[in-house]
Each structure stands twice: as C-alpha cells, then as structure tokens.
Amino acid sequence: MKIGLLCAMKTEFDQLLPYLRETARHEVAKTTVIEGDVNGLPVVLAATGVCKVNAGITAQLLIDRFAVTHIIMVGVAGSMDPRLGIHALAFSQRLAQHDVNVAWLRHRGGIAHGYYPGDEMLLSVCHKLNERGAFLYPVFFGDMVSGEQFIAQEGRQEIVDAWHPLCVDMESAAAAYTCYVNDVPFLAIRAMSDTGDESGVANSNAHEISAADAAASAAGALLRELAQG
C-alpha cells in the first residue's frame, strides 16, 4: 500500500507535513510533492491548489508518477448539515459534483446518480477508530459535494435540496472522479471551517488553520492505523 495524501491549500499542507517522515522532495508540474512515510507506510503528499481541475491534475500526477495505490484528500470544508459544527469531521461515503449535469458524465459509465464511492476498506478503518475514540471532534459519515464556487448563503439551500450533503468543498469530488476512472480507492476527510450559522469567507478564514489541524489529526490517526497493517 502506498498512500497519496492530497490537500488544496498551503495551510492544510503545513498541518499535514509534520505527520510524515520526509525522505524526498520534488517539483513536478508546478507542484511540490513530498515523499515520506508514516511509521513505515509509504506516503506521498501534495497540495493541489484550489478548485476541481487542480485536484484532478494532482490526483492523476500521484497515480501516474508516484504509483500511489490509494488516495486520501484532507482539508477544510463548509458544513451543509446543521449537525456539523466548526471542527466536526466528515468522512466521504459518496462524493458528487454539485455543479455538473450528471448526464455529461455518462461516457465514463458506472457512476450511480453522479456519485463516486468512498473506499469501503478505508471507511471501515475510520469507523473502528471512531469507536475507539481516536478522533478529537464529532465524526459523521455521509455524502460530500464539490463545485467551483465558495458557498456562503447564496446557493446553499439549492445544494441542500438537491444533494443533502454533510459538507461542500471545491476539490474532493474531482479527485474522487480521477480515482474512480483509474480504479484507485479514495477517501475524503474534511473538517468544518464554516457553517450555515457562521458562513462566509471571513468565518472560513477565522477557522481555517484550526479546522485544517483537526482534519490533519484525523488523517494522521488513519495513517498510523494503516501502518500497523
């Protein structure tokens, strides 16, 4: 097993990097890629940049150039479910692009109602960790959506009505789509940096580092567990 670890922003990258023992650093396709390990488990870390195209490019890069066998995307998101407060953790059972007509994706086949699956094995490990109290914040398993817009209040209700997701971000579903077409298992771990009550860029920025730390801590627990075999 060789894990590709993706995030979007430098703040998320900075929170994840201490969990790795770095062994090599590369500049590929204008992206810094870190090779290392977590307790002997090979891990490759890269920040994709914001938005879906960047996430898809970087996921494919790790698959093609670094031969990762699984990809985990880690970072912050906006809560779309009132149960998820600031720092709450979401784990992706399914992922969809909320701003793409599902019919446009049919040429790749096999995508049920526009959703890409979270990996059952990785989800099972996360469930076990949660039962053991390994995570620092409330944990939720369910659907996530991604799109090319930052969602504050405008458009929020339309996404909730159409998809009923736990949260929204700008990258995860694109990385999941890339993994789907490459038959690479995928999971997203997101911590909430803004909510329906605390929405908007200002609130997201205020909680960005602490939420990134919450997501990185959850990913670290998962990686350590995977390293034990």
Side-chain angles (χ1 to χ4, degrees):
M1 180 183 291
K2 185 176 186 181
I3 303 294
L5 196 60
L6 293 179
C7 58
M9 301 181 294
K10 185 179 185 299
T11 50
E12 297 162 335
F13 183 90
D14 290 344
Q15 299 302 315
L16 286 165
L17 187 56
Y19 289 92
L20 279 67
R21 183 182 68 89
E22 182 178 338
T23 57
R25 183 174 292 231
H26 312 273
E27 296 295 326
V28 186
K30 304 186 188 304
T31 300
T32 300
V33 179
I34 306 295
E35 289 190 279
D37 69 86
V38 175
N39 295 346
L41 174 70
V43 176
V44 182
L45 169 64
T48 67
V50 174
C51 292
K52 293 190 297 179
V53 170
N54 284 328
I57 289 171
T58 312
Q60 192 68 57
L61 172 68
L62 295 196
I63 293 166
D64 290 344
R65 297 284 295 272
F66 294 89
V68 300
T69 62
H70 299 67
I71 287 182
I72 302 170
M73 185 146 208
V74 183
V76 305
S79 171
M80 301 296 279
D81 183 321
R83 295 176 299 163
L84 279 69
I86 299 296
H87 301 143
L89 298 167
F91 295 81
S92 62
Q93 290 179 321
R94 300 188 303 176
L95 305 100
Q97 300 179 65
H98 68 75
D99 57 353
V100 173
N101 187 326
V102 174
W104 298 342
L105 305 174
R106 289 177 182 168
H107 70 286
R108 298 247 181 223
I111 301 170
H113 308 296
Y115 288 102
Y116 318 113
D119 181 63
E120 292 184 4
M121 182 277 290
L122 294 174
L123 284 166
S124 176
V125 175
C126 291
H127 275 288
K128 292 176 182 176
L129 287 168
N130 188 42
E131 290 167 4
R132 299 206 312 252
F135 300 125
L136 300 178
Y137 297 98
V139 169
F140 298 84
F141 295 85
D143 294 345
M144 298 181 181
V145 295
S146 304
E148 297 289 2
Q149 307 86 25
F150 180 90
I151 304 299
Q153 290 301 325
E154 184 178 354
R156 173 180 292 272
Q157 194 58 49
E158 289 84 353
I159 294 172
V160 171
D161 291 344
W163 300 97
H164 307 287
L166 293 177
C167 61
V168 62
D169 65 55
M170 300 173 74
E171 300 86 22
S172 294
Y177 188 16
T178 304
C179 288
Y180 172 82
V181 300
N182 284 279
D183 295 318
V184 170
F186 177 84
L187 180 69
I189 302 172
R190 293 284 184 170
M192 303 305 107
S193 61
D194 60 288
T195 70
D197 293 329
E198 297 183 71
S199 66
V201 173
N203 279 300
S204 179
N205 289 344
H207 299 294
E208 182 179 297
I209 294 176
S210 60
D213 179 66
S217 176
L222 173 58
L223 294 169
R224 290 191 297 271
E225 188 73 11
L226 293 173
Q228 294 180 8

